[in-house]
Amino acid sequence: MVRALRLLASCAMFSQALAHSHILYLIINGQQYRGFNPHAPDAITNSIGWSTSAVDDGFVTPSNYSNPDIICHRDGKPAKAHAPVKAGDKIQIQWNGWPQSHKGPVLSYLAPCANTTDGCASVDKRKLSWTKIDDSSPVLLDEKGGPPGRWATDVLIAQNNTWLLGLPNDLEPGPYVLRHELIALHYANLKNGAQNYPQCVNLWVEGPGPKAITVGKEEVVVAGQKEGVPATALYKATDPGVAIDIYTAVLSTYVIPGPTLAPEAKPVPVTEQGLKSTITAVGTPVIVTRATSTVPMPNGETAAAFKG
C-alpha cells in the first residue's frame, strides 16, 4: 500500500513538474491585487508580488535553507507597489493551483521594511526580520483511512486553492513584506526531498503614522514590528517537520517547522477557511514616497478571475 502511495505521488510529481504554483492575487476587503506571474513577468505593471526567476513554478530545497533564495523564492526582487491594508484585516490569498499529492503546512510571516524611504520597494531582503503570524495548526488534521491523511494543504485545495490570513490587530502603520509559503512533504523522506514554495508581496498598513526619523535630508520609516528571525534561519534540513516520512505509518503529531507563532498573531482557524471574500473591484496599489506617504499606482485593469 505504501509503495502504491509513493508511486502515485511520483506520478503526480512528474505530471506537475512544470505546474506547481505561485500566488495569483490577494483579495483585501473585496479589492483584488495582482501577484507576480513568472510566466508573464511584464504583463502587470503594478503587481504587489516580488518577482522571481521560478518560471517552472518550482521550489527551494532544504539544501538552500541558508541561501537567500529561501527568503522570497529564487532570485526574489521586491515589487514597487504595495497593497493597502489595516491592522486586523483578513487577506484571501489565491494560488493558481496546488497538486493533491503535495501535502504539508501553510505558513505566513511578516517583516517590516525599516529605515527606508520607498517602503519595501528597494529593501535588502537579507536584512528582513520575520515573525510568524500563521502556522495552519494543527497542519495534520486526521489520518482516517491511513497515511498520508488530511493536511492543511488539502484545506487550501478544497477552498479553490485559497488561504484566508488574519493580520495582527496591533500592527503599527507602515510598509511590510508578507511571506506566504507552502511546504510539500511527499518526498520529505528522502534527503533534500522537502519542497518549499515561498512567495512575497508588499503591504502598506494604513493608520496614523508610521513612525519615522530624519536621516540626513530624508525621512526613513522606523521598524514597527517586534524583532523576528532572518528567513535564512527559519528552517534546518534536519527539522522533524522537514525530514519526515508521511507515508510509512500513521503520525500522531506533526512538528510545524520554523519559529513559534507570534503572541499577537490572529490566524484564521482551519474550520473557518471557507469564509471567502467576494471580489468587488480591482484594488489600486500604492507606492511609498517620502517614507510616510503614498500615491496610487493604477494600471486600468478590471476585476477578473484571471489565470497565471
Side-chain angles (χ1 to χ4, degrees), residues 10-249:
S10 179
C11 292
M13 185 175 185
F14 280 114
S15 66
Q16 297 285 347
L18 296 177
H20 291 296
S21 201
H22 60 269
I23 291 176
L24 274 179
Y25 55 81
L26 306 186
I27 304 174
I28 305 170
N29 298 317
Q31 305 289 299
Q32 184 187 55
Y33 299 90
R34 282 300 305 261
F36 174 76
N37 183 354
H39 310 297
D42 300 320
I44 303 297
T45 58
N46 67 349
S47 167
I48 61 169
W50 284 43
S51 65
T52 78
S53 62
V55 294
D56 59 349
D57 277 336
F59 50 87
V60 179
T61 61
S63 63
N64 286 310
Y65 280 172
S66 60
N67 185 290
D69 283 350
I70 194 61
I71 303 173
C72 291
H73 219 317
R74 302 198 296 260
D75 301 310
K77 294 180 176 59
K80 293 181 179 180
H82 302 64
V85 299
K86 293 182 174 63
D89 273 351
K90 288 184 172 58
I91 300 175
Q92 184 173 312
I93 304 170
Q94 177 71 60
W95 290 75
N96 75 323
W98 191 247
Q100 190 74 44
S101 63
H102 289 29
K103 298 180 185 297
V106 181
L107 308 175
S108 296
Y109 301 83
L110 270 182
C113 295
N115 304 316
T116 65
T117 60
D118 57 1
C120 302
S122 60
V123 71
D124 184 344
K125 62 185 178 183
R126 296 167 297 180
K127 296 181 180 179
L128 291 172
S129 185
W130 302 92
T131 299
K132 185 186 283 184
I133 61 168
D134 191 355
D135 60 3
S136 63
S137 180
V139 180
L140 177 57
L141 304 176
D142 64 65
E143 287 205 315
K144 294 177 182 177
R150 183 168 170 261
W151 294 70
T153 47
D154 292 307
V155 175
L156 177 140
I157 292 169
Q159 300 303 325
N160 192 31
N161 306 303
T162 67
W163 192 260
L164 193 60
L165 173 69
L167 293 178
N169 291 325
D170 63 350
L171 273 183
E172 291 190 14
Y176 293 80
V177 180
L178 168 64
R179 181 182 181 276
H180 183 67
E181 178 179 41
L182 307 181
I183 303 180
L185 302 173
H186 53 298
Y187 277 162
N189 64 304
L190 303 176
K191 183 178 180 181
N192 211 35
Q195 301 176 359
N196 291 62
Y197 297 78
Q199 299 275 293
C200 290
V201 296
N202 290 345
L203 304 178
W204 174 260
V205 177
E206 299 175 325
K211 296 177 182 178
I213 59 174
T214 301
V215 177
K217 296 182 179 181
E218 295 184 317
E219 280 190 330
V220 297
V221 171
V222 177
Q225 193 191 23
K226 300 171 181 62
E227 187 172 349
V229 179
T232 50
L234 289 175
Y235 314 120
K236 294 180 180 178
T238 54
D239 286 345
V242 171
I244 184 173
D245 191 333
I246 66 173
Y247 290 100
T248 298

Side-chain angles (χ1 to χ4, degrees), residues 234-277:
L234 289 175
Y235 314 120
K236 294 180 180 178
T238 54
D239 286 345
V242 171
I244 184 173
D245 191 333
I246 66 173
Y247 290 100
T248 298
V250 174
L251 302 172
S252 58
T253 59
Y254 173 73
V255 181
I256 301 171
T260 57
L261 201 64
E264 66 272 16
K266 297 292 181 183
V268 177
V270 170
T271 54
E272 298 178 16
Q273 283 296 318
L275 303 175
K276 293 185 179 180
S277 300

